Amino acid sequence: MRFSVIFAVCLATASALFAAPAVTPKPEALPKTKAQVRTFANGLTVIVEEDHSAPVASVQVWCNTGSINESDWMGAGLSHILEHMLFKGTEKRKVGEIAKRIQDQGGYINAYTSFDRTVYWIDIPNTGVSEALDILSDAMMNSTLPKEEYDKEQEVIRREFAMGFDNPERMSQELMFSTIFRKSPYRNPVIGYLDVYNKLTRENVLTYYKERYVPNNLTFVVVGDVDAQKVFEQLDTFFADYPRRILKPVFIPEEPRQFGRREMNKEFPTDLTRLELAWRIPGLANADTPALDVLARVLGDGRSSPLYKEIRQKKGLAYEISSEAYTPADMGIFSVDAVTDPQNRKAVEDAVLDILAQIKEKGVSGEALEKARRTALSTQLSEWTTMRGKASDLGSNWLLTGNLDFCRDYLNALNKVTAEDLKRVARTYLTEDNFSVTSLNPLGSLAEKKSGDQEKTGGDIQCFELSNGLRLLVREDARLPLVSAVG
């Protein structure tokens, strides 16, 4: 899974920029959004952008709640359960009716859950917009979570857990997040933990639904061939009977500062080692985030990047290697991800750190900077040239910053990043005190005898997770006939 912060601009502007692909896009030329925003008396926010270039629309509703908001049931995956359940039926729509109605209209319906949001959307021809609005409104306020469907979906989600347990990429990323974050709820997987999930009842889920799915915690975003005034009127009419509700405060602990290298290595039924080198970085709105975004692309995006050329191509140490910057609102992660043979794990780490040391000292070439900057801008423009993409951009901008034009501002900042900025942020954030190393390794590979200095100084730290969630960290060190245990 690759992480990114999503930004979008209109199709016409993107097309114009791609007319001259050899020239770096100039985001300062992008027009401000034409979207209209209204917040009703009950706190419901509605964002509409008319785009009559095609007879289609994307109708979305963003609930400002995700896995970090689950409070007393942290780690249960309540938000994810609701994503599965809200289209299963309402007080006026039977089980299966919602999906059938959308399909009959030629539309597509889906949803996703993240740490800080749950998003439901319907992409549909313009003739079905009114029904899409009615269906989403009804699902947000009147879902019944039918018991029979809840029981069925329980098994679907358990199968999703099982697939995750067998997926080395997913388990590697969960290990990285739980190592980097000690207090923050970002350390917990969005789907939750199976043992906590199994304790939930339908009543627990209903309670969470009624607490979080209230008008003042929802934002509707509609982009496409629509009449904005009609959209506002329809939603105002529907939600007139639903008052603003007091949201139960959710305590999100502040992540303490890291004061040294962290390392966690685990064994897993896989043939190759998945290595994650990661540093905590600021969140989305920080002034250094654009430079960190560009640095990640310079470092490990594509075959011309130093990670690929030096570590994969020249030294042959990794089968895959890349870097990225993941920046949600509060804090983020700068990571280098590699797939390698278990015996090459330390060599890959050393090679990555050597490349970073060179960047910190000498910087990067103007050509590398320009390519990374151009690629970042072009990728973000090209990936969001659809109604759904533009609606997602508006929803993300509003949820995270309250600024519908945040995309334009960010792209402007990205275009102004200099080589000196890259040196500065690398020296500031990619430090030993802020460094975490995690790896998922083939079974038995961590128990093998190490030679040389490592044998003298002790083995790797191994993590064993007990059935009740308790983590046991073990490091073998045969230098003295002593054992130390700390709880």
Side-chain angles (χ1 to χ4, degrees), residues 42-44 62-63 140-141 209-219 239 242-247:
N42 60 5
L44 179 74
W62 291 58
C63 184
M140 293 305 103
M141 306 312 298
Y209 167 58
K210 291 175 182 178
E211 287 178 350
R212 304 298 298 178
Y213 282 71
V214 297
N216 43 303
N217 207 33
L218 298 174
T219 299
F239 280 90
Y242 299 96
R244 179 190 296 268
R245 295 274 302 276
I246 296 175
L247 285 166

Side-chain angles (χ1 to χ4, degrees), residues 109-144:
I109 187 170
N110 213 328
Y112 75 87
T113 311
S114 187
F115 292 109
D116 56 7
R117 72 197 69 173
T118 310
V119 182
Y120 305 81
W121 79 85
I122 298 173
D123 294 342
I124 200 160
N126 56 5
T127 54
V129 169
S130 179
E131 183 159 16
L133 286 168
D134 189 62
I135 284 173
L136 284 177
S137 301
D138 192 26
M140 293 305 103
M141 306 312 298
N142 301 313
S143 285
T144 54

Side-chain angles (χ1 to χ4, degrees), residues 318-339:
Y319 300 102
E320 299 174 18
I321 190 162
S322 61
S323 57
E324 54 206 331
Y326 169 56
T327 49
D330 301 324
M331 66 190 83
I333 298 173
F334 188 104
S335 67
V336 175
D337 315 318
V339 178

Side-chain angles (χ1 to χ4, degrees), residues 351-368:
V352 171
L353 295 180
D354 284 345
I355 292 172
L356 282 173
Q358 293 175 30
I359 291 176
K360 292 175 183 179
E361 181 182 352
K362 300 177 182 179
V364 302
S365 68
E367 180 183 358

Side-chain angles (χ1 to χ4, degrees), residues 8 60-61 110 118 291 325 347 355 363 424 434 483:
Q60 304 184 359
V61 58
N110 213 328
T118 310
I355 292 172
R424 178 180 55 79
N434 193 34
V483 174

